[in-house]
Amino acid sequence: MAAAAVKKLQVLVACALLLLLAVGCRASPLQIGFYHDRCPQAEAVVKGVMMEAISQNPGNGAAMIRMLFHDCFVEGCDASVLLDPTPFSPTPEKLSPPNNPSLRGFELIDAIKEALEVACPGTVSCADIIAFAARDASCILNAGKVHFEVPSGRRDGTFSNASEPLKFLAPPTSNLSDLVDSFVVKGLDAEDLVILSGAHTIGRSHCSSFVPDRLNAPSDINGGLAAFLRDQCPADAAPGGNDPTVMQDVVTPNDLDRQYYKNVLSHTVLFTSDAALLTSEETARMVVDNANIPGWWEDRFEKAMVKMAGIEVKTGDQGQIRKNCRVVYRN
């Protein structure tokens, strides 16, 4: 009787361990140091190109961080945002309004891929390139205070359609409820939303993204900033028309720092989606903490970036490793 009970317990423990192992495999399909043996210099190559690109134009760093977000929220982190139109797929993601014409950095990804193909042909995915480039941009633009390892092993997707970004990328006119919903559906939460919004401390925005609802309609935007923006932006700014760009953060425009949260509190942010962070007690408290506690935001930003870079990844036999990031590889 005792022996039977022990055997039953052993079976239950074994099953539990197998279940934990299976869950762990599903939850963490990526690995830190995935290219250690496959292409030891992979991450160093990416960082070298990024350092040079950001030294020439800090906006290149902002472009990579934004590209990671726009890639991962649509079809997962699979570089589908990089694909060019073809007769097989005439309207890929990059032609969708949330990406065109504002998303940039495609030529920088090309340069990184070209360097990696010389070093390790057919080895490093375009999806991993985006993740590495965004990680390195975060570190460089923050003078090293944001520093984290990003797991890799992503594979490149083969599907890209312009209708998909419209479903998953909340526009800058969104209210807080819609923003949180767009994050929750991707496995993120309200804190991730607040933390990742901090990337709006760098980069530029087209006037059409905020003029209609922030300048041409009643809003809480600071009067001084509104006057400045009206000097920079035409009242009829529209995509594809007279649509100049302005810095998102006029205080520290080229630094990835917590200034964004100070701007939210002083109502000196561009987007309705930025201002929306003050419309709930929970997210407003997060804004205050990020603005006032040194190191608080940087620590959470590192974790949120890794979390976002793991959304719906393709690994193993899924997808492919593109030779050219703009084109699906066909045998």
Side-chain angles (χ1 to χ4, degrees):
M1 193 76 174
V6 170
K7 185 174 182 180
K8 183 177 181 181
L9 180 60
Q10 290 173 334
V11 170
L12 289 172
V13 170
C15 289
L17 289 173
L18 287 172
L19 179 61
L20 286 172
L21 181 61
V23 170
C25 289
R26 288 198 300 271
S28 304
L30 306 177
Q31 304 171 30
I32 291 174
F34 178 82
Y35 294 105
H36 181 270
D37 296 324
R38 297 170 175 85
C39 183
Q41 64 270 54
E43 295 190 44
V45 169
V46 177
K47 186 173 183 178
V49 177
M50 287 304 302
M51 290 180 69
E52 175 63 22
I54 291 174
S55 71
Q56 295 177 5
N57 178 3
N60 286 323
M64 292 298 98
I65 296 172
R66 185 167 183 250
M67 183 175 285
L68 179 67
F69 170 59
H70 281 233
D71 183 43
C72 291
F73 266 58
V74 182
E75 296 296 320
C77 307
D78 69 346
S80 54
V81 73
L82 302 178
L83 291 172
D84 280 348
T86 68
F88 297 101
S89 178
T91 54
E93 290 171 33
K94 64 167 54 173
L95 298 185
S96 186
N99 295 328
N100 185 32
S102 61
L103 193 66
R104 62 188 193 85
F106 299 106
E107 293 79 11
L108 180 51
I109 294 292
D110 291 340
I112 297 172
K113 181 62 170 174
E114 182 177 346
L116 285 169
E117 284 299 301
V118 171
C120 310
T123 303
V124 182
S125 70
C126 301
D128 277 341
I129 290 173
I130 296 175
F132 290 148
R135 183 269 310 273
D136 293 338
S138 301
C139 180
I140 295 166
L141 292 171
N142 188 258
K145 287 178 285 185
V146 166
H147 181 76
F148 57 95
E149 292 191 273
V150 60
S152 51
R154 297 165 191 79
R155 305 267 292 179
D156 299 326
T158 59
F159 173 80
S160 183
N161 190 280
S163 64
E164 298 302 300
L166 296 169
K167 300 176 185 176
F168 298 108
L169 295 174
T173 55
S174 298
N175 60 35
L176 183 61
S177 177
D178 289 342
L179 291 167
V180 172
D181 287 348
S182 73
F183 271 61
V184 168
V185 77
K186 294 300 176 181
L188 307 181
D189 57 28
E191 183 176 29
D192 295 317
L193 164 66
V194 175
I195 295 300
L196 292 170
S197 293
H200 286 177
T201 190
I202 52 172
R204 303 181 69 88
S205 169
H206 283 271
C207 293
S208 61
S209 295
F210 60 85
V211 165
D213 57 315
R214 297 285 279 167
L215 299 183
N216 292 350
S219 74
D220 69 347
I221 194 168
N222 175 276
L225 178 62
F228 170 78
L229 292 173
R230 288 190 177 100
D231 284 341
Q232 306 296 313
C233 297
D236 60 352
N242 184 11
D243 194 14
T245 62
V246 297
M247 289 290 186
Q248 294 197 80
D249 173 7
V250 298
V251 182
T252 58
N254 295 325
D255 297 333
L256 186 70
D257 57 20
R258 58 194 171 102
Q259 181 62 43
Y260 167 79
Y261 300 99
K262 299 176 182 180
N263 295 346
V264 172
L265 293 171
S266 63
H267 303 283
T268 53
V269 284
L270 296 184
F271 307 134
T272 294
S273 58
D274 294 325
L277 299 184
L278 295 181
T279 60
S280 89
E281 182 177 337
E282 178 190 15
T283 55
R285 183 172 61 252
M286 294 177 193
V287 170
V288 171
D289 288 343
N290 286 310
N292 294 325
I293 304 175
W296 185 272
W297 172 73
E298 286 85 353
D299 179 64
R300 284 155 180 77
F301 184 73
E302 293 170 357
K303 294 178 176 63
M305 285 287 283
V306 172
K307 192 174 177 181
M308 179 172 67
I311 294 175
E312 299 168 10
V313 294
K314 296 171 177 63
T315 59
D317 294 331
Q318 300 172 315
Q320 60 180 218
I321 305 296
R322 293 184 212 141
K323 297 180 179 180
N324 177 338
C325 289
R326 295 173 179 263
V327 182
V328 171
Y329 174 62
R330 300 185 186 279
N331 292 323

